[in-house]
Amino acid sequence: MSIAPCRAPVLASLDRAQPFASAEDAWFWTMAALTARRDGARLGAGRGLVVRPCEPDDVVKCLDRLYRQRRIDLAHARIMRIWGERHESPSPRIPQEAGDLRLWREAMERLDFPLRAKGIVSGPPRGLQEAEVVPFRGRAA
């Protein structure tokens, strides 16, 4: 039995794939896809408006690896799920969300590197800014 060429899946080229600007963006996209899948949507590569360099499961696998390496805790994963389903991050202006914000930032900082290594995220590194060199004012020789 042969497969008809017109029935073969057409995969989008990775040359057109647009990486995410941050780990937060990748996580919100992943949670939206997982929520849609849970609600019965059929997801497929290259069907969205923007071609992405990964599947939602790739981001989940990075998160799972961080958990197995004990780089993130169940508390981090819980906060990521709760705020990911809301499609927003905890607000620094609301005192009741301070604990969630701390866990959220830790999780996003730890998720950032593996996503960059896989080419899923390509924006400026999270939390790193241009450093200012301060001259040393020690004793003169």
Side-chain angles (χ1 to χ4, degrees):
M1 182 175 192
S2 64
I3 298 176
C6 63
R7 302 244 179 200
V10 178
L11 298 177
S13 171
L14 284 179
D15 296 337
R16 296 182 336 171
Q18 182 179 355
F20 294 96
S22 67
E24 276 187 1
D25 292 342
W27 182 249
F28 289 138
W29 174 80
T30 300
M31 285 301 298
L34 294 176
T35 303
R37 184 188 296 168
R38 181 187 66 202
D39 293 342
R42 293 183 184 208
L43 303 177
R47 292 186 184 172
L49 298 175
V50 177
V51 178
R52 295 299 183 180
C54 66
E55 292 291 321
D57 294 333
D58 296 330
V59 177
V60 173
K61 286 178 187 176
C62 287
L63 183 64
D64 182 53
R65 179 178 238 175
L66 289 171
Y67 176 74
R68 285 185 283 117
Q69 293 172 345
R70 296 184 178 166
R71 297 271 301 131
I72 64 165
D73 199 352
L74 279 177
H76 292 100
R78 181 179 155 273
I79 293 303
M80 289 176 69
R81 181 188 56 80
I82 290 169
W83 289 97
E85 287 176 348
R86 295 178 187 178
H87 299 289
E88 64 180 351
S89 59
S91 175
R93 295 186 178 109
I94 301 174
Q96 293 85 355
E97 297 177 6
D100 289 359
L101 180 63
R102 182 184 60 82
L103 290 171
W104 175 264
R105 286 181 177 165
E106 286 176 4
M108 291 300 125
E109 287 172 5
R110 293 173 188 172
L111 185 60
D112 189 68
F113 179 77
L115 294 181
R116 282 182 192 285
K118 291 184 179 280
I120 297 171
V121 172
S122 71
R126 181 178 174 88
L128 297 180
Q129 299 172 358
E130 188 68 30
E132 178 185 349
V133 178
V134 180
F136 178 70
R137 296 185 184 168
R139 287 186 279 194

